[in-house]
């Protein structure tokens, strides 16, 4: 039997979404009103927008929507902290107010109506419900290819991930409690949430193209997120450096034998190109190794500083609860 008192908090990260934020509020409000009317969630449920240091008037619009729409509330970061930190920030601030939590981006590429099926799956006993896209027809060939390669690589490295699932998901309160206990600074939530465990299922939907505004995940940020995922969950890059070093030594030994042979037969000039090749190869291997080790050391350094992952400048959710 459905517990009608469950409060749903929909966490919506937003960064420079001035063009589409109104439509996002409208669509998500329709979905939340439907859930309330169907008595699937409490009337105290909220849409929590997280303004991640937007440079446009996204925050000003959210203040207006908050005054006009009782379902809308928001928090405002002091600066841009990044998408993953915006999700964690929203879940942190919403934890004391909600029972069920859903994260979805403000660009409306993920189908808001899939939230209804997610909530129903929660009542069937699932603590985590992943929104999984049915296909990547809206993506370019390059993005489809690299995404498939990335999921395959992460699987080979032993990282638990749900293919074709991003950050559109439902999590129960006990899952969020465990999630917030992860204190690392370089977050990769697509890998952390499956690592937590608990019963989970998938809800499939058709992903749409972005209607307005620009993507907040260009190639540079996608590569950065993928690199965070690899280095946060696997020691494979370090092991790769070890095998690269062994391979370099093997090649060097072969070149040594070759050089000695050339010396015995009195033809040493021809070895100049081989020597230069060896120097460049070993030097490059060392630089790659130093860069990879430096990346891991840098992550350790960032974590030891224990600096906050986000700073909330304004909190309409807390103000609303204080006035209640």
């Amino acid at each position: 039997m459905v517990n009608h008192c469950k409060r749903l908090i929909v966490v919506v990260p937003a960064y420079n979404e001035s063009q589409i934020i109104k439509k996002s509020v409208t669509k998500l409000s329709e979905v939340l009103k439907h859930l309330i009317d169907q008595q699937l969630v409490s009337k105290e449920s909220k849409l929590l927008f997280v303004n991640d240091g937007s440079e446009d008037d996204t925050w000003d619009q959210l203040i207006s929507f908050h005054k006009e729409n009782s379902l809308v509330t928001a928090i405002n970061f002091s600066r841009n902290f990044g998408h993953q930190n915006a999700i964690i920030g929203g879940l942190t601030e919403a934890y004391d107010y909600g029972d069920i939590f859903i994260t979805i981006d403000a660009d409306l590429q993920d189908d808001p109506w899939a939230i209804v099926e997610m909530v129903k799956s929660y009542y069937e006993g699932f603590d985590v419900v992943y929104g999984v896209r049915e296909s990547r027809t809206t993506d370019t060939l390059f993005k489809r290819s690299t995404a498939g390669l990335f999921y395959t690589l992460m699987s080979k490295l032993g990282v638990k991930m749900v293919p074709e699932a991003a950050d559109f998901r439902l999590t129960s309160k006990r899952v969020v409690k465990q999630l917030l206990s992860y204190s690392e600074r370089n977050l990769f939530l697509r890998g952390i949430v499956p690592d937590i465990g608990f019963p989970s299922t998938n809800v499939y939907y058709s992903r749409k193209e972005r209607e307005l505004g620009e993507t907040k995940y260009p190639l540079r940020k996608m590569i950065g997120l993928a690199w965070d995922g690899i280095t946060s969950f696997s020691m494979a890059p370090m092991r790769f450096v070890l095998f690269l070093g062994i391979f370099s030594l093997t090649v060097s030994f072969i070149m040594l034998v070759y050089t000695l042979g050339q010396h015995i037969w009195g033809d040493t000039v021809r070895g100049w190109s081989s020597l230069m090749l060896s120097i460049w190869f070993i030097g490059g291997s060392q630089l790659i190794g130093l860069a990879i080790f430096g990346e891991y050391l840098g992550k350790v350094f960032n974590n030891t500083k224990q600096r906050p992952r986000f700073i909330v400048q304004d909190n309409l959710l807390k103000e609303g609860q204080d006035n209640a």
Side-chain angles (χ1 to χ4, degrees), residues 85 181-188 192 232-233 303 309:
N85 286 324
S181 69
Y182 283 64
S183 60
E184 57 216 67
R185 282 351 186 218
N186 298 96
L187 291 168
F188 185 67
I192 293 177
S232 296
F233 285 89
N303 281 320
R309 292 183 291 195

Side-chain angles (χ1 to χ4, degrees), residues 23-269:
K23 190 170 184 178
S24 181
V25 169
T26 302
K27 290 287 186 181
L28 290 171
S29 294
E30 289 177 1
V31 174
L32 189 52
K33 287 177 182 177
H34 173 78
L35 288 168
I36 294 172
D37 291 340
Q38 295 296 313
Q39 297 185 336
L40 289 171
V41 298
S42 166
K43 294 179 180 180
E44 298 177 354
S45 299
K46 296 289 184 181
L47 301 174
L48 174 59
F49 286 83
V50 182
N51 182 46
D52 187 21
S54 298
E55 298 173 351
D56 55 18
D57 67 341
T58 298
W59 177 243
D60 293 331
Q61 290 192 54
L62 287 173
I63 293 176
S64 298
F65 296 138
H66 172 67
K67 295 176 180 178
E68 300 168 358
N69 188 340
S70 61
L71 297 177
V72 177
T73 188
I75 60 176
N76 182 34
F77 283 178
S78 61
R79 62 172 176 84
N80 178 248
F81 284 87
H83 180 263
Q84 301 290 279
N85 286 324
I87 292 176
I88 281 293
L91 292 174
T92 301
E93 297 300 317
Y95 179 76
D96 292 333
Y97 306 109
D99 303 303
I100 317 170
F101 306 87
I102 289 178
T103 55
I104 182 173
D105 291 342
D107 56 18
L108 295 179
Q109 287 188 271
D110 299 320
D111 183 8
W113 285 102
I115 292 175
V116 177
E117 296 303 318
M118 288 182 169
V119 173
K120 290 180 179 178
S121 296
Y122 166 80
Y123 286 120
E124 292 173 0
F126 295 102
D127 287 274
V128 183
V129 184
Y130 298 99
V132 180
R133 63 178 67 180
E134 294 178 335
S135 66
R136 284 184 171 269
T137 54
T138 58
D139 292 341
T140 62
L141 177 61
F142 173 78
K143 192 170 183 179
R144 289 197 299 269
S145 302
T146 54
L149 179 63
F150 173 67
Y151 283 116
T152 301
L153 175 62
M154 295 299 281
S155 177
K156 295 293 184 182
L157 295 178
V159 182
K160 297 179 181 178
M161 289 183 62
V162 179
E164 306 304 332
D167 292 305
F168 180 30
R169 69 177 74 86
L170 176 149
T171 46
S172 67
K173 196 177 185 80
R174 62 176 180 172
V175 171
V176 173
K177 179 180 179 180
Q178 298 304 319
L179 177 60
L180 297 181
S181 69
Y182 283 64
S183 60
E184 57 216 67
R185 282 351 186 218
N186 298 96
L187 291 168
F188 185 67
L189 297 175
R190 301 178 195 184
I192 293 177
V193 175
D195 186 62
I196 293 174
F198 292 99
S200 65
T201 188
N202 300 335
V203 167
Y204 296 89
Y205 69 97
S206 298
R207 186 173 171 83
K208 304 174 183 178
E209 295 184 2
R210 172 181 273 269
E211 296 181 21
L212 298 168
E214 299 179 353
T215 178
K216 303 307 181 295
Y217 259 106
L219 180 60
R220 175 180 59 82
K221 287 191 176 182
M222 288 175 58
I223 293 174
L225 180 64
W227 182 245
D228 278 339
I230 294 172
T231 55
S232 296
F233 285 89
S234 177
M235 299 296 291
M238 287 189 176
R239 297 190 184 104
F240 171 75
V241 172
L242 171 63
F243 290 120
L244 186 62
I246 295 173
F247 177 73
S248 299
L249 288 176
T250 303
V251 172
S252 299
F253 178 75
I254 294 173
M255 294 303 298
L256 175 62
V257 174
Y258 172 78
T259 302
L260 288 175
Q262 291 291 324
H263 181 72
I264 292 173
W265 278 282
D267 189 6
T268 57
V269 177

